[in-house]
Amino acid sequence: MIRIVSVLAVVTFVLAACAGGDGSNKPIRISSGQTNSVRNGHVVAVNELRAQAGLPPLILSSELTAAALTQARDMAVQRRAWHFGSDATSPQDRAARAGYFGVIKGENIAENYAREDELLNTWMSDPDTRRLMFTPDARDIGFGWFQESDGRLWWVQVIG
């Protein structure tokens, strides 16, 4: 448990830098220059948690990230967080469309979390989303978001 807290503390520190470090709970503004650090920080945190559970690390997949970004934007357009695209696509359909032909283990989604560290805490607290992140035979991860002009964030994590 102490290691989980330390991993989340590191993620919080990185994201506080993105938010300006004023200690507020305002949504972070993720600039294009911060995208890689937020995405990589998420993958590092997930992999640290998986390592604590004796599981192999996940590899960041550009195809799964593209599928995640597509779904995040589509959820914003639909104004709801759910697993079906506006064109009735599933996570597997979107991954294949993005060039990923492995098996999709699942997709974690969320809306309106101000920061990625809060999001990861919530996913770790829910048995279903945690189970997906800890799928033993999973090998790949994609992580993306869409941020609206008012700061609202739509988050998607795809695991294959």
Side-chain angles (χ1 to χ4, degrees), residues 95-119:
R97 191 180 287 167
Y100 184 84
F101 296 103
V103 175
I104 298 303
K105 302 298 181 178
E107 178 182 74
N108 287 329
I109 57 174
E111 67 173 302
N112 222 18
Y113 282 87
R115 301 182 345 197
E116 191 274 338
D117 59 317
E118 294 172 346
L119 171 70

Side-chain angles (χ1 to χ4, degrees), residues 8-159:
L8 294 175
V10 169
V11 171
T12 301
F13 176 76
V14 169
L15 292 172
C18 295
D22 64 359
S24 71
N25 200 25
K26 295 179 188 174
I28 60 172
R29 282 280 171 197
I30 304 172
S31 71
S32 59
Q34 297 164 327
T35 297
N36 286 335
S37 64
V38 172
R39 183 170 292 120
N40 291 335
H42 178 79
V43 174
V44 166
V46 169
N47 281 335
E48 179 65 29
L49 295 168
R50 283 178 60 88
Q52 292 173 32
L55 297 169
L58 299 175
I59 298 168
L60 183 61
S61 162
S62 59
E63 295 86 2
L64 291 183
T65 295
L69 291 167
T70 297
Q71 183 60 6
R73 180 178 290 276
D74 195 41
M75 289 187 319
V77 169
Q78 294 183 66
R79 306 303 300 162
R80 62 180 169 180
W82 73 327
H83 297 287
F84 299 98
S86 57
D87 58 355
T89 53
S90 69
Q92 186 71 51
D93 296 331
R94 289 187 296 277
R97 191 180 287 167
Y100 184 84
F101 296 103
V103 175
I104 298 303
K105 302 298 181 178
E107 178 182 74
N108 287 329
I109 57 174
E111 67 173 302
N112 222 18
Y113 282 87
R115 301 182 345 197
E116 191 274 338
D117 59 317
E118 294 172 346
L119 171 70
L120 188 55
N121 264 329
T122 300
W123 282 346
M124 286 299 295
S125 298
D126 180 88
D128 292 330
T129 53
R130 180 184 176 105
R131 187 177 309 112
L132 174 59
M133 288 188 288
F134 286 5
T135 300
D137 61 341
R139 296 292 174 253
D140 301 304
I141 186 171
F143 182 62
W145 59 87
F146 178 76
Q147 188 160 35
E148 296 182 24
S149 60
D150 66 359
R152 184 180 195 146
L153 288 154
W154 301 83
W155 303 94
V156 179
Q157 177 195 70
V158 184
I159 299 195

